[in-house]
Amino acid sequence: NAEYMGIKTYQRIVKMDVTLSVASIDEHEPFGQNMLRHFKLQDGYINMNHGSFGVAPKVVSEYRRSLEDLAESSPDRWFRGGYQRYLSQTRQSIAKYVNASDPADIVFVENASSGVNSILRSLTLTPDDAILFSTYNYAMVKYTLTYVHERYGCSLLTVNLPFPVEHEREIVDAYRHALDSHPSIKLVVLDHVSSLPAIVFPVEKLTAMFKEKGVLVLIDGAHAPGMVDVDLQAINADFYVANCHKWLYAPKGAAIMWVRKELQASLVPTVISSTGKLDFIGAFEYTGTRDYTPFLATTAALEFRHRLGEKRIKEYMHDLAVWAGRTLAELWNTEVGAPDSMTGALVMVRLPITDDAFGAAFSQRVLDDYDIFLVVSQISGHWWLRLSAQIYLEQADFLKVGKLIQSICSTQPKKTLPLST
């Protein structure tokens, strides 16, 4: 179509630009502080919380700006088909990355919260149905389930998961007990990598266990892509939602939602737009006038990762997280929250804090006094720290922060610290 010749040409130019930019990066460049030059973090800032919001590499941000320029240069061409055609290419790339059998089963959403809301609020539920979730599930999931419960009268069941955890069978056994005790469960919401506390779940085992009983499985994979391998065919869930802007290096506001084909017709996006399209892809690809460039820039994030090595990135982050957890637990005479096999790039370490008032104010104090944000949470009666490993961090960063925390904790009111277990 001659109407779109200009946008097609520009797409090729933009694609070439990002390929050349990524190609200029040394694929063998060592990870650690040296990698900071590829990110826009302020000088001297030690980002211990990559997990909450992510940080996009410069090349990804530049690619997104090129797309924004394209959108502004011809708004009608962009919104009336141009963006959608480009999104189709991006869908193909991300489908391959997560091993989806059919790219048409994936749509892009703003974040995992949007996807989970769309799924839960589209379900046909009755007072006879029950939804199972865990004490680990993210607060957004719990709040959305409360809304669904109040609107449809379905039951909400909670499985209390142990923490700290020593082996994945503790998690599997807890879910199995809940499943055996409640035959009315219609849907279970599982984490792939939980937020707080942070552990990697045995999602393939759990999914198989629930599906054997005819239970629908929704997996919140907010932290998974880019941190751990995501194989949608192997997992075999019914719904899978995941952020691309956390560990995958896409810009903020990019996430995917995969839905089993036979369940797609019932799903409605959180925003119903003016297009009138009712098919799965059509209903979600345009949700009004907004910035769609984070979706498309996921392509650049995947190219950045491919250049540096997908396996190398994940192994570096995992090894650094495990090392940091063990080292700081030894320094503070405390413990880590999960075994190496259930640790991705997020690691939980018990803080040497015994005073609750001190613990409650700890994160804000460190941010105000040292410009470092720490994710601190009280779990099972103890104060825990969640640390994020990343390719722009190295052992020296964690040692520096660990010694700083040790020094600050030495000022708390004196109480007897429980022995490390």
Side-chain angles (χ1 to χ4, degrees), residues 91-105:
R91 182 181 292 108
Q92 297 280 342
S93 298
I94 196 67
K96 181 178 180 180
Y97 182 81
V98 298
N99 194 30
S101 59
D102 186 353
D105 296 334

Side-chain angles (χ1 to χ4, degrees), residues 113-180:
S113 298
S114 178
V116 168
N117 266 266
S118 176
I119 293 166
L120 292 178
R121 293 161 70 176
S122 296
L123 292 174
T124 300
L125 298 165
T126 71
D128 294 329
D129 296 322
I131 300 177
L132 180 67
F133 67 101
S134 83
T135 47
Y136 277 39
N137 280 126
Y138 190 52
M140 170 276 300
V141 172
K142 298 174 183 177
Y143 294 147
T144 307
L145 287 174
T146 298
Y147 168 85
V148 170
H149 160 70
E150 292 174 349
R151 185 171 181 84
Y152 300 107
C154 59
S155 301
L156 300 182
L157 305 173
T158 306
V159 54
N160 293 306
L161 298 180
F163 187 79
V165 60
E166 296 182 358
H167 195 279
E168 69 175 36
R169 63 174 167 267
E170 298 175 66
I171 303 297
V172 175
D173 288 347
Y175 276 108
R176 180 179 290 112
H177 176 73
L179 179 60
D180 292 340

